[in-house]
């Protein structure tokens, strides 16, 4: 819009019906933002938006566009209709192993989709973006923790799409830096999010055979899967199993609200780790979940999963210093909330029959 555009301002959330997106939409609305959601529903359903409306007692439905970022005209239409002050860009495919089998699909969707989105932003003079990146962009170093200027390198197509997209954002930022077209971009490198909204009404819908550890453990806890397969107990860690930096989904969602605010303060280009700074092993996570649900969680030790490393933990101090962001939820909270969601929704947002389709 022009300088005289007096329409209400919106935050456009791509991938806003997905796991991290939906929890962020809830947080944004709680903080008083108006939100418009775009998603092609390739890995989600619309139901989380209904749950947000229920949790917050909203009178109107959250505006939702079923659109694919690969269709430029569809994105452009959303920008024409809504005056967007900032985009939070979650929409992407995210399964590491799948990306090694179908790299073109990942490059096309994640990279192509992002290029289209950035073009539409330029076309409509939308300057602010918050981008979902990942701890996976760090080159494995065996160090205790990663800072934002640790070396970057990726070993799989999924990770490379994230690294490329960071570079694209940096490139277009540089072309306009210092001019009246200057962008503001906050790149967030998430560590390992899990957990659910404390109401138990929203959480991660990870499908029948989850790729990630915590949704898998939750499916075992609720009796949908037999046992956890621990991928390697011969790592150089406290108990031999992999160590990761876990963060509660509601903390991660809050980091996005802070980032949107940061872009509105003309921050330029910023990169932040979003994690707790503490590492827990796979066995510690099984134990923590066992306590939260007060049930047995059978497991077996299997071989290592290809591409995995022993330890990935962040240094969270930059986000704390510049964004004022610090995690509030503990590991116990994360497990409690995951369990509450999983128990109430053993098949996620779908029924069992829908899920097996
Ligand atoms: P998710 O799959 O639940 O959400 C992504 C959403 O994007 C889905 O709803 C999907 O339907 C949508 N989408 C995908 N391609 C699209 C397209 N071309 N057009 C429109 N919509 C499209 O995943 P999530 O866990 O919520 O992850 C969100 C973002 O965070 C992703 O970019 C992911 O790579 C990144 N990330 C996730 C994790 C994690 O552990 N979950 C860690 C680091 C980074
Ligand atoms: C955690 C630990 C496994 C499953 C991935 C992506 C990363 C980011 C977050 C998107 C490891 C072990 C796992 C299982 C197991 N996503 N494990 N049994 O690999 O740290 O990160 O998700 O950007 O890019 O790579 O997360 O949950 O898959 O694994 O023993 O069934 O649990 O070996 O040590 P990871 P994860």
């Amino acid at each position: 819009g022009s300088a005289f555009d007096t329409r209400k301002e919106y935050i456009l959330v791509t991938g806003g019906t997905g796991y991290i997106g939906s929890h962020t939409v809830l947080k944004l609305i709680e903080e008083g933002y108006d939100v418009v959601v775009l998603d092609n529903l390739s890995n989600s359903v619309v139901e989380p938006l209904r749950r947000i409306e229920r949790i917050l007692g909203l009178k109107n439905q959250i505006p939702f566009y079923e659109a694919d970022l690969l269709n430029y005209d569809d994105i452009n239409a959303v920008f024409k209709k809504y005056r967007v002050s900032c985009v939070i860009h979650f929409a992407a495919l995210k399964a590491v192993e799948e990306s090694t089998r179908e790299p073109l699909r990942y490059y096309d969707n994640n990279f192509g989709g992002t290029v289209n989105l950035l073009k539409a932003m330029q076309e409509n003079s939308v300057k602010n973006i918050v981008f979902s990146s990942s701890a996976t962009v760090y080159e494995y170093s065996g160090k205790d923790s990663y800072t934002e200027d640790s070396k970057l390198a990726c070993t799989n197509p999924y990770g490379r799409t994230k690294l490329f997209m960071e570079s694209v954002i940096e490139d277009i930022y540089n072309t306009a830096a210092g001019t009246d077209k200057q962008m503001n971009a906050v790149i967030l490198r998430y560590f390992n999010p899990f957990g659910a909204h404390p109401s138990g009404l929203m959480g991660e819908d990870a499908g029948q055979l989850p790729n990630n550890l915590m949704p898998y453990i939750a499916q075992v806890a609720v009796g949908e899967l037999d046992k956890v397969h621990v991928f390697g107990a011969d790592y150089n860690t406290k108990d031999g199993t992999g160590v990761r930096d876990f963060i509660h989904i509601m903390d991660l969602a809050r980091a996005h609200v802070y980032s949107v605010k940061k872009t509105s303060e003309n921050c330029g280009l910023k990169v932040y780790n979003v994690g707790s700074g503490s590492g827990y092993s796979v066995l510690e996570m099984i134990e923590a979940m066992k306590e939260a649900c007060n049930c047995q969680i059978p497991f077996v030790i299997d071989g290592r999963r290809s591409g995995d490393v022993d330890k990935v933990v962040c240094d969270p101090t930059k986000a704390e210093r510049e964004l004022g962001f610090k995690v509030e939820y503990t590991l116990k909270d994360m497990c409690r909330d995951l369990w509450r969601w999983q128990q109430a929704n053993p098949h996620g947002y779908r029924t069992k029959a829908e899920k097996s389709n």
Side-chain angles (χ1 to χ4, degrees):
S2 74
F4 305 106
D5 193 340
T6 54
R7 288 175 302 163
K8 191 155 89 173
E9 286 192 332
Y10 286 81
I11 310 297
L12 171 63
V13 182
T14 76
T17 50
Y19 174 47
I20 308 174
S22 59
H23 289 80
T24 301
V25 167
L26 176 134
K27 264 290 182 210
L28 286 165
I29 297 174
E30 263 184 347
E31 293 300 317
Y33 289 96
D34 288 296
V35 174
V36 49
V37 172
L38 182 155
D39 201 296
N40 67 359
L41 304 183
S42 60
N43 196 38
S44 57
V45 292
V46 192
E47 179 61 17
L49 301 185
R50 302 291 92 84
R51 306 272 173 111
I52 296 171
E53 289 153 7
R54 201 165 124 197
I55 292 168
L56 299 180
L58 303 182
K59 289 193 197 73
N60 298 317
Q61 288 202 347
I62 299 162
F64 171 67
Y65 284 81
E66 183 174 346
D68 196 309
L69 288 180
L70 295 179
N71 297 329
Y72 179 82
D73 293 343
D74 288 355
I75 319 172
N76 203 24
V78 176
F79 283 111
K80 296 289 180 228
K81 174 149 189 207
Y82 292 90
R83 181 182 176 207
V84 174
S85 58
C86 182
V87 175
I88 310 184
H89 179 33
F90 292 104
L93 298 170
K94 61 159 182 178
V96 172
E97 190 272 334
E98 184 183 66
S99 81
T100 64
R101 285 183 283 114
E102 301 178 72
L104 283 177
R105 200 172 137 232
Y106 273 68
Y107 289 117
D108 194 25
N109 190 78
N110 294 4
F111 192 66
T114 302
V115 170
N116 270 344
L117 175 68
L118 291 166
K119 276 199 223 164
M121 286 176 63
Q122 260 184 4
E123 158 85 17
N124 293 281
S125 306
V126 176
K127 296 174 182 169
N128 297 345
I129 185 167
V130 177
F131 176 67
S132 298
S133 189
S134 167
T136 197
V137 299
Y138 290 118
E139 180 174 67
Y140 174 69
S141 69
K143 292 219 181 81
D144 277 346
S145 68
Y146 292 88
T147 64
E148 288 77 358
D149 36 50
S150 295
K151 211 166 158 213
L152 306 181
C154 285
T155 55
N156 61 71
Y158 164 73
R160 271 190 282 273
T161 69
K162 290 287 162 192
L163 204 51
F164 283 178
M165 292 182 287
E166 284 198 9
S167 306
V168 172
I169 290 170
E170 204 179 306
D171 285 342
I172 59 170
Y173 170 79
N174 286 333
T175 62
T179 75
D180 61 351
K181 292 205 171 77
Q182 168 158 327
M183 283 179 77
N184 299 293
V186 174
I187 293 172
L188 297 178
R189 294 184 181 143
Y190 317 150
F191 282 67
N192 293 53
F194 85 95
H197 187 266
S199 65
L201 287 169
M202 295 172 66
E204 180 171 14
D205 202 342
Q208 269 186 316
L209 208 63
N211 298 310
N212 297 113
L213 177 66
M214 294 316 292
Y216 200 105
I217 293 181
Q219 287 284 293
V220 173
V222 84
E224 288 288 320
L225 293 170
D226 287 347
K227 54 180 182 289
V228 181
H229 295 262
V230 175
F231 297 149
D234 57 352
Y235 282 108
N236 181 23
T237 58
K238 43 189 153 189
D239 59 21
T241 64
V243 167
R244 295 293 182 272
D245 182 327
F246 295 93
I247 175 170
H248 194 294
I249 186 67
M250 296 312 300
D251 275 331
L252 179 56
R254 188 165 47 86
H256 291 81
V257 179
Y258 292 5
S259 301
V260 166
K261 186 156 179 290
K262 189 89 183 165
T263 63
S264 74
E265 294 161 354
N266 267 317
C267 64
L269 176 66
K270 298 284 179 188
V271 183
Y272 300 116
N273 286 339
V274 192
S276 70
S278 309
Y280 292 98
S281 74
V282 173
L283 293 181
E284 285 174 330
M285 297 309 284
I286 293 175
E287 191 55 37
M289 230 7 228
K290 200 167 127 186
E291 274 168 35
C293 63
N294 196 18
C295 64
Q296 288 308 311
I297 300 185
F299 68 88
V300 285
I301 308 283
D302 281 357
R304 292 183 178 195
R305 180 173 67 180
S306 135
D308 274 355
V309 299
D310 53 17
K311 185 176 175 197
V312 184
V313 175
C314 87
D315 177 337
T317 53
K318 187 179 176 201
E320 187 180 347
R321 198 171 60 240
E322 294 187 17
L323 213 49
F325 174 77
K326 213 176 160 180
V327 297
E328 286 172 0
Y329 292 89
T330 63
L331 179 60
K332 211 171 159 180
D333 299 332
M334 295 183 230
C335 292
R336 177 202 61 208
D337 293 339
L338 171 59
W339 177 235
R340 189 179 290 133
W341 152 255
Q342 191 66 82
Q343 232 183 348
N345 307 270
H347 310 293
Y349 292 111
R350 292 162 264 210
T351 64
K352 188 167 189 165
E354 282 168 340
K355 200 172 128 182
S356 49
N357 279 332

